[in-house]
């Protein structure tokens, strides 16, 4: 094996490993999207009701999004979290001090909730199913796992190539990484589109802002790394095979 191809193969493996770590971290963390809102310092009956509804199994899309808006919510692919005052009062508490404590409360999403239909008017079951938002949500949830699976399968093929001392099987690894990159890119695109459509249905309250979090950024960085790894795998395998064929023809001649 030529040193050029071996170097390209090693670099591609490093890029693949980094992108796999980034993708796994992105899937497992809760900061795909973050809301920034004034901290709710008291615990009125309304606040308590929102907190209880947020954790309820029967919470609809409008209910938990209202809580995310009001309480510095964060969203991941598997969980949604809000930040609430640690101590609650049935009356307005004393003035806030520098030691005012808050606690993060998270609720996991079940598979049933992941595949639940989205409605044209969030929370209103009589408004009809919004097919676009429904399938965007499902794609943003499924595609990262497909991407991760393709990279793992590609790694197994690459390991077999190392055992066989041949770069040619790594063409399949490159193709799988290309498909993984497309899945990651598709997931990111679906997530952005879904958030934009959600905010068109539910406008953010005054003094509340939202931004994409670092989990989302990890997924965005993972996609180009997968594409670069794919290009190196395919280039190394194809060029090495071509040179081997030319060398073999020259020897026969």
């Amino acid at each position: 094996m030529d040193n050029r191809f071996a170097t390209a193969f090693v670099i591609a493996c490093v890029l693949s490993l980094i992108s796999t770590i980034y993708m796994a971290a992105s899937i497992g963390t809760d900061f795909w999207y973050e809301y920034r809102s004034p901290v709710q310092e008291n615990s009125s009956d309304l606040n308590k009701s929102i907190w209880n509804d947020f954790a309820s199994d029967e919470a609809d899309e409008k209910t938990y999004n209202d809580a995310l808006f009001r309480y510095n919510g964060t969203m991941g692919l598997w969980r949604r979290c809000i930040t609430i005052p640690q101590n609650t009062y049935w009356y307005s508490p004393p003035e806030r001090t520098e030691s005012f404590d808050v606690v993060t409360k998270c609720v996991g999403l079940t598979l049933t909730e992941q595949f639940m239909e989205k409605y044209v008017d969030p929370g209103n079951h009589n408004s009809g199913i919004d097919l676009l938002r429904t399938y965007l949500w499902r794609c943003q949830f499924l595609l990262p796992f497909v991407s991760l699976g393709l990279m793992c399968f590609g790694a197994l093929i690459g390991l077999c190539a190392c055992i066989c001392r041949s770069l040619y099987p790594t063409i399949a690894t490159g193709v799988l990484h290309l498909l993984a990159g497309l899945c990651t890119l598709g997931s990111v695109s679906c997530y952005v589109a879904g958030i934009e459509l959600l905010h068109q249905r539910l406008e953010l309250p005054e003094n509340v802002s939202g931004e994409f979090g670092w989990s989302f950024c990890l997924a965005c960085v993972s996609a180009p790394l997968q594409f670069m790894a794919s290009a190196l795998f395919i280039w190394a395998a194809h060029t090495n095979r071509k040179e081997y064929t030319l060398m073999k023809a020259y020897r026969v001649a």
Side-chain angles (χ1 to χ4, degrees), residues 50-93:
I50 291 177
W51 299 342
N52 292 332
D53 291 341
F54 179 77
S56 172
D57 294 335
E58 299 179 356
D60 57 36
E61 187 179 18
K62 186 177 187 306
T63 299
Y64 68 72
N65 274 297
D66 284 343
L68 290 171
F69 295 161
R70 288 172 60 89
Y71 297 103
N72 293 294
T74 62
M75 292 192 300
L77 297 181
W78 282 97
R79 296 198 307 174
R80 49 181 180 256
C81 304
I82 56 176
T83 302
I84 60 177
Q86 186 172 11
N87 299 317
T88 58
Y89 304 87
W90 62 271
Y91 60 91
S92 295

Side-chain angles (χ1 to χ4, degrees), residues 28-29 36 52 70 119 131 144 171 196 213 253:
T29 50
R36 295 286 180 266
N52 292 332
R70 288 172 60 89
Y119 296 97
L131 292 177
I171 287 182
E196 291 299 324

Side-chain angles (χ1 to χ4, degrees), residues 18-224:
I18 294 174
S19 65
T20 302
I21 294 173
Y22 282 4
M23 200 66 219
S26 177
I27 292 173
T29 50
D30 310 319
F31 298 92
W32 278 66
Y33 201 83
E34 304 176 47
Y35 293 101
R36 295 286 180 266
S37 58
V39 176
Q40 304 293 325
E41 300 186 18
N42 59 13
S43 181
S44 65
D45 292 338
L46 176 60
N47 291 341
K48 288 182 179 180
S49 175
I50 291 177
W51 299 342
N52 292 332
D53 291 341
F54 179 77
S56 172
D57 294 335
E58 299 179 356
D60 57 36
E61 187 179 18
K62 186 177 187 306
T63 299
Y64 68 72
N65 274 297
D66 284 343
L68 290 171
F69 295 161
R70 288 172 60 89
Y71 297 103
N72 293 294
T74 62
M75 292 192 300
L77 297 181
W78 282 97
R79 296 198 307 174
R80 49 181 180 256
C81 304
I82 56 176
T83 302
I84 60 177
Q86 186 172 11
N87 299 317
T88 58
Y89 304 87
W90 62 271
Y91 60 91
S92 295
E95 292 184 2
R96 176 176 175 175
T97 64
E98 294 183 357
S99 60
F100 184 74
D101 295 325
V102 294
V103 61
T104 300
K105 182 177 181 181
C106 296
V107 176
L109 300 176
T110 64
L111 285 176
T112 302
E113 291 173 322
Q114 294 284 10
F115 290 96
M116 190 176 295
E117 292 86 359
K118 307 294 181 184
Y119 296 97
V120 175
D121 182 13
N124 183 1
H125 293 193
N126 297 322
S127 61
I129 298 175
D130 190 332
L131 292 177
L132 179 57
R133 289 202 307 121
T134 297
Y135 285 103
L136 283 174
W137 181 276
R138 294 175 182 178
C139 288
Q140 77 183 26
F141 164 70
L142 291 174
L143 288 178
F145 291 98
V146 175
S147 174
L148 208 55
L150 289 171
M151 285 192 292
C152 291
F153 187 51
L156 290 177
I157 295 178
L159 181 61
C160 293
C162 291
I163 295 174
C164 297
R165 296 183 179 181
S166 172
L167 276 178
Y168 193 65
T170 56
I171 287 182
T173 301
V175 171
L176 289 174
H177 276 71
L178 177 61
L179 294 176
L182 291 174
C183 288
T184 302
L185 191 61
S187 176
V188 168
S189 301
C190 288
Y191 194 85
V192 172
I195 288 292
E196 291 299 324
L197 289 174
L198 173 64
H199 290 166
Q200 290 178 13
R201 305 291 192 278
L202 292 175
E203 293 186 3
L204 294 178
E206 188 178 357
N207 298 326
V208 175
S209 62
E211 61 184 12
F212 293 99
W214 59 266
S215 300
F216 176 84
C217 294
L218 287 179
C220 291
V221 173
S222 179

